[in-house]
Amino acid sequence: MLDSVFNPKSEMQTAAGVGSLQLRPLFGGALSAVIPYNITDVSEVREIPDNQEVFAHPHTDQSLIVELLEYQAQVADQDAARYHFEDIAGSNEAQEPGAFEVGNVVALPKGEVSLSECSSAWMLNGTQCVSKFNEDARNTVAIHLGLFRLPQFSTDILITFNDPQSISPDSSSASAAETHRDPWTVEDFQSTLKSLTLHNPGLFG
């Protein structure tokens, strides 16, 4: 585990008054962000790659993923969020015509994000038609993507909020679709993006 200067107790005050959010250390405390309080840490259920932190909503089929990816130097900043969105579509086998759509891509002003080390920050909204566990049934999922570019660390930090909009009755997610207790919101996701903070650059090697 990486040494860290992050102290949850001393920094928890920054999340005071946020309501449904809590300040949480990520990657052993090398990063932190405020995230919804009602989460399931997926690493406690199954093995997760070392470059990911994955959280699931306990009652809906929503998920939040924080991911450290190789910096794509060949991709211009304004195109990078779409690049990663399309890469996710490939992983979801949602690349056929009509299976994914980009809504909008906006730059996040550096004055509005805590990760001052990033060269640029972006937010993308889109949808993908995806199946779960290689099922035939496909669900329509709104994907909210936040991207922080850190060329000095050869890293792109990707935060993805998966928010199912239409669940096939034949999907294994159908039971979760019937429960909507305390769903996460786009505002929650935006708070996570804006609060992401680096405490230990040793995370990047």
Side-chain angles (χ1 to χ4, degrees):
M1 195 68 69
L2 287 169
D3 294 330
S4 172
V5 297
F6 174 61
N7 184 330
K9 291 183 179 179
S10 66
E11 299 201 17
M12 187 61 75
Q13 298 302 318
T14 62
V18 174
S20 63
L21 302 177
Q22 63 175 344
L23 189 66
R24 185 180 179 94
L26 303 168
F27 299 101
L31 293 167
S32 70
V34 293
I35 63 174
Y37 75 95
N38 53 340
I39 62 166
T40 297
D41 186 337
V42 177
S43 68
E44 297 175 359
V45 179
R46 58 180 172 87
E47 189 172 352
I48 297 297
D50 290 342
N51 69 318
Q52 292 182 353
E53 293 266 17
V54 181
F55 307 102
H57 192 288
H59 305 302
T60 72
D61 212 42
Q62 296 173 315
S63 62
L64 183 70
I65 303 171
V66 184
E67 202 167 2
L68 307 179
L69 299 172
E70 182 180 356
Y71 178 74
Q72 300 297 321
Q74 80 281 6
V75 181
D77 286 346
Q78 64 269 24
D79 299 325
R82 181 184 292 269
Y83 172 91
H84 287 293
F85 179 83
E86 292 179 355
D87 188 58
I88 292 171
S91 299
N92 289 336
E93 297 183 355
Q95 288 186 304
E96 63 267 22
F100 72 91
E101 180 180 0
V102 174
N104 66 329
V105 182
V106 297
L108 295 175
K110 289 195 66 175
E112 294 184 8
V113 299
S114 299
L115 192 68
S116 58
E117 294 83 359
C118 70
S119 62
S120 65
W122 303 83
M123 187 167 62
L124 178 150
N125 299 317
T127 57
Q128 294 184 11
C129 295
V130 304
S131 59
K132 194 171 184 180
F133 307 128
N134 296 316
E135 299 170 343
D136 290 333
R138 287 190 169 268
N139 307 318
T140 301
V141 180
I143 295 181
H144 306 277
L145 184 153
L147 174 65
F148 299 88
R149 309 213 77 192
L150 293 94
Q152 71 274 37
F153 300 122
S154 301
T155 300
D156 281 340
I157 299 180
L158 195 66
I159 302 180
T160 308
F161 171 37
N162 299 297
D163 186 16
Q165 301 297 299
S166 175
I167 304 296
S168 167
D170 297 325
S171 170
S172 60
S173 297
S175 59
E178 298 172 1
T179 60
H180 295 282
R181 285 182 288 168
D182 299 320
W184 299 338
T185 66
V186 174
E187 289 75 21
D188 291 337
F189 169 69
Q190 292 172 346
S191 294
T192 298
L193 293 187
K194 293 177 180 180
S195 66
L196 184 69
T197 304
L198 176 65
H199 302 282
N200 184 358
L203 172 69
F204 306 115

